[in-house]
Amino acid sequence: MKNNWLSLIAVAAAAVLAWPASAELVVIVNPKNPATSLSADQVAQLFLGKSSSFPGGAPAVPLNLSEGAALRDEFHSKVADKNPGQVKAYWAKQVFSGKSSPPRELPSAAEVRKAVASDPSAIGYIDKGTLDSTVKSVLTVQ
Amino acid sequence: MKKNLVAAAVASVLMPAIAQADIGGLSDLSFSGFGTAGVVATNTDKAEFATSVLQPNGAKKKADFTVDSLLAGQVNYRMTESLSFVGQAVANKNADDQFKPHVEWAFAKYAITRDLGVRGGIMPAPILMISDSRLVGFANPWVRPPTAVYSQVALTNFRGVDLLVRHAAGDVNLTAQPYFGKAPTQIPNAGSDHLTAQIDNMAGLNLGAELGGWTARVGYMQAKFTYHTDSLDQLFGGLRGVDVFVPGAAQLADSLDATGKRITFMSAGAAYEGGNLLFQAEYAKRKADFFLGDTTAWYTTFGYRHGDLMPYVTLSEVKMDSPSSDSTIPPVGPLAALSGGVNALLAGQNTAQKVVALGMRYQFAKNADVKVQWDRVRIPQGSTGGFQHPTPDFNGGNVNVYSATVDFVF
């Protein structure tokens, strides 16, 4: 716990000092999606394949960024409390036990935004600075 | 199937953009794999350390590279949004002491709804909490799943069908998995080709719940077990033959004989992973109405993550719930051989042990880790402690098992 707080403070300090606009990411859905806000836990469940529906019951299709993307690592760390290695191990367990497969991956946040803008069941995440009216934010992650 | 096609056709007319977005995920083929390069040694030459009775031999003082090493490849093919196929081939030490690849899985999955799927084929046998990922070293904290519990149910696949049911109740995800099938299992046969244990009429049910980093699971499985060897048949024939002189001898043979006998596994487990902490514990009870006997086994693992390093400790135990000797046959005169045979058979099933294991996992790359582990196995007198081919002077005490593995996925 103490370490967590320390690292939180460190991250916050780094954010203030070095990452002006890019420290925040937003989880986005299609504007037609009735969901207005989701908890980090709900988002994590969707991206870890533990749930496949939005709270109202509508199907959810998570769209991830490709491995190695800084935003992806930040998303997993803040929303699912997992570092890239843990994410890899988690999916190894799911895939090699025949249970589920990881979300579809897109090469850039711009493509994620485009895909979410055109699919009512899609959910993705982008840098807050690139949020526009083609998509709807349901969670801001700091 | 047809409905889906119709739905897809309708969707493609009404919402071209959506249909297009979906097509990318409709038909895809992916290949992946995992493996472990492992080395293990012990501090005794009086018995051999193996992961279960499915391995014909194991490690002694000299370093052994065959107990934990394996290589596996997997193909996932999604034909439509609802229908997918999984094939997995694994090469690891088999009952004939070879590293010949075998088909571990070949099954089809059909998603009836988003939360209800049916699978059929050669599939993971989900008897214990991580039975279906026990070979995937990279996905697990230890060098190998704690043998105290996992050697009680060594099989990894079965032929049959299962249902995967999921239900979200608030923040809790509930799962149910009934399954039915059979599992012919290769058993080593010293000096010649393996024999096959028939595990038929397998019927099981797993119930799971997940909340945040917590997972809880209970499982039950029952099956009919049939296994014969020449020496077992000879022993039981001998017992039935002396029933006239020794009342109860035939009854004893019937109680030991493994022909369509009931075997059950009951298990309960819980796991937590969050922040820097990892906790996993499982309890399993085996009941076997034949010579194998009843056992109670459990383990508890705690791990603490420092970045890519995770030291862990595991405590585990196996207790025998059935007697490991029988006095029906007096060990006198011509009956001595039969009496000795019965008692050797029962004593051989005694795998009682208490283990303290300390280990360290280091994830040195995104898709690879290295682990070291030291198991201190305390074996009560009269037990093999799960070790194989014990010499007559192997009579318990402490055995140290030293292991190191490199696990990878690709």
Side-chain angles (χ1 to χ4, degrees):
Chain A
M1 269 326 277
K2 224 171 206 173
N3 270 340
N4 277 347
W5 283 111
L6 284 178
S7 54
L8 251 174
I9 292 165
V11 165
V16 169
L17 294 173
W19 308 345
S22 67
E24 280 185 325
L25 62 87
V26 285
V27 176
I28 52 167
V29 297
N30 189 280
K32 286 183 201 146
N33 192 316
T36 52
S37 93
L38 293 175
S39 70
D41 213 31
Q42 287 170 322
V43 172
Q45 302 263 313
L46 291 173
F47 276 84
L48 295 175
K50 293 179 179 179
S51 160
S52 58
S53 311
F54 287 106
V61 177
L63 298 170
N64 216 340
L65 282 173
S66 307
E67 263 179 38
L71 197 61
R72 171 185 160 118
D73 293 348
E74 198 182 332
F75 172 77
H76 283 138
S77 146
K78 290 179 176 170
V79 172
D81 192 19
K82 289 188 190 314
N83 68 32
Q86 285 174 285
V87 171
K88 193 87 182 169
Y90 173 83
W91 282 113
K93 192 166 193 158
Q94 302 305 310
V95 170
F96 297 125
S97 64
K99 278 183 194 137
S100 58
S101 341
R104 215 167 95 212
E105 291 174 0
L106 293 173
S108 73
E111 287 189 51
V112 168
R113 192 183 55 202
K114 211 172 105 191
V116 171
S118 64
D119 183 352
S121 59
I123 176 167
Y125 54 89
I126 56 172
D127 192 299
K128 192 177 184 183
T130 62
L131 184 64
D132 62 22
S133 62
T134 62
V135 295
K136 181 168 74 173
S137 162
V138 285
L139 174 68
T140 302
V141 184
Q142 294 181 337
Chain B
M1 274 304 292
K2 241 178 195 160
K3 261 187 191 158
N4 275 337
L5 284 177
V6 173
V10 170
S12 66
V13 172
L14 295 178
M15 299 176 276
I18 296 165
Q20 204 180 6
D22 274 346
I23 281 166
L26 268 186
S27 176
D28 65 75
L29 181 68
S30 63
F31 178 79
S32 51
F34 59 93
T36 294
V39 57
V40 52
T42 73
N43 66 341
T44 181
D45 278 331
K46 294 179 183 172
E48 301 175 21
F49 174 81
T51 56
S52 78
V53 294
L54 302 191
Q55 296 188 327
N57 49 43
K60 297 197 275 191
K61 279 184 181 172
K62 195 171 152 239
D64 176 286
F65 295 89
T66 65
V67 166
D68 293 305
S69 299
L70 65 88
L71 186 64
Q74 181 170 319
V75 174
N76 285 58
Y77 176 57
R78 184 145 59 140
M79 206 165 96
T80 69
E81 202 163 339
S82 318
L83 184 63
S84 54
F85 297 89
V86 179
Q88 190 183 91
V90 176
N92 57 355
K93 187 186 182 77
N94 68 15
D96 296 320
D97 204 17
Q98 293 164 333
F99 269 79
K100 219 166 74 182
H102 66 273
V103 175
E104 178 71 17
W105 304 341
F107 64 87
K109 179 179 176 182
Y110 184 72
I112 298 164
T113 70
R114 300 180 74 78
D115 293 322
L116 173 63
V118 58
R119 304 190 297 180
I122 306 176
M123 298 197 297
I127 297 165
L128 295 168
M129 188 154 65
I130 59 145
S131 286
D132 51 9
S133 58
R134 65 189 294 177
L135 300 178
V136 192
F138 180 74
N140 292 320
W142 333 266
V143 158
R144 67 188 77 81
T147 47
V149 169
Y150 280 79
S151 66
Q152 307 300 315
V153 204
L155 60 99
T156 52
N157 65 18
F158 79 109
R159 289 144 206 244
V161 290
D162 72 0
L163 275 182
L164 295 169
V165 190
R166 189 159 66 175
H167 177 72
D171 286 339
V172 184
N173 279 315
L174 302 170
T175 55
Q177 180 184 27
Y179 57 99
F180 185 79
K182 63 178 184 175
T185 302
Q186 297 184 355
I187 309 286
N189 183 23
S192 62
D193 276 357
H194 68 265
L195 297 169
T196 301
Q198 302 295 345
I199 302 170
D200 294 320
N201 296 344
M202 260 174 87
L205 176 65
N206 299 322
L207 299 173
E210 285 185 45
L211 173 65
W214 283 96
T215 308
R217 175 195 177 278
V218 291
Y220 176 79
M221 189 278 271
Q222 63 174 47
K224 296 286 183 206
F225 191 98
T226 301
Y227 179 63
H228 288 270
T229 69
D230 289 345
S231 59
L232 283 175
D233 287 347
Q234 215 175 341
L235 176 64
F236 302 147
L239 287 172
R240 290 179 179 118
V242 301
D243 193 52
V244 189
F245 317 107
V246 188
Q251 203 186 339
L252 176 62
D254 291 345
S255 74
L256 298 176
D257 195 343
T259 306
K261 289 290 183 65
R262 189 178 148 94
I263 184 167
T264 66
F265 291 99
M266 195 280 290
S267 61
Y272 174 78
E273 202 178 345
N276 295 323
L277 295 177
L278 179 135
F279 160 77
Q280 191 163 322
E282 209 170 355
Y283 171 92
K285 233 171 155 55
R286 181 185 79 195
K287 284 181 185 284
D289 295 344
F290 55 100
F291 65 83
L292 196 58
D294 304 347
T295 57
T296 300
W298 59 268
Y299 70 83
T300 304
T301 294
F302 292 97
Y304 187 83
R305 209 181 295 274
H306 299 270
D308 295 325
L309 266 180
M310 190 184 73
Y312 58 88
V313 56
T314 300
L315 308 175
S316 62
E317 183 175 14
V318 181
K319 281 184 285 189
M320 283 310 292
D321 301 328
S322 301
S324 297
S325 65
D326 188 281
S327 56
T328 307
I329 314 295
V332 290
L335 296 174
L338 278 179
S339 168
V342 167
N343 284 300
L345 174 63
L346 290 174
Q349 311 312 318
N350 183 351
T351 57
Q353 56 178 297
K354 273 187 181 176
V355 188
V356 179
L358 296 175
M360 175 86 85
R361 177 184 194 267
Y362 173 56
Q363 186 154 356
F364 66 88
K366 200 173 52 193
N367 62 342
D369 68 38
V370 57
K371 293 170 189 155
V372 290
Q373 186 174 313
W374 167 47
D375 290 66
R376 184 177 167 280
V377 186
R378 218 175 91 201
I379 304 168
Q381 187 129 33
S383 166
T384 64
F387 283 72
Q388 298 196 2
H389 311 299
T391 58
D393 59 341
F394 178 73
N395 48 14
N398 291 326
V399 177
N400 291 317
V401 180
Y402 313 102
S403 315
T405 56
V406 173
D407 303 301
F408 52 91
V409 296
F410 58 90

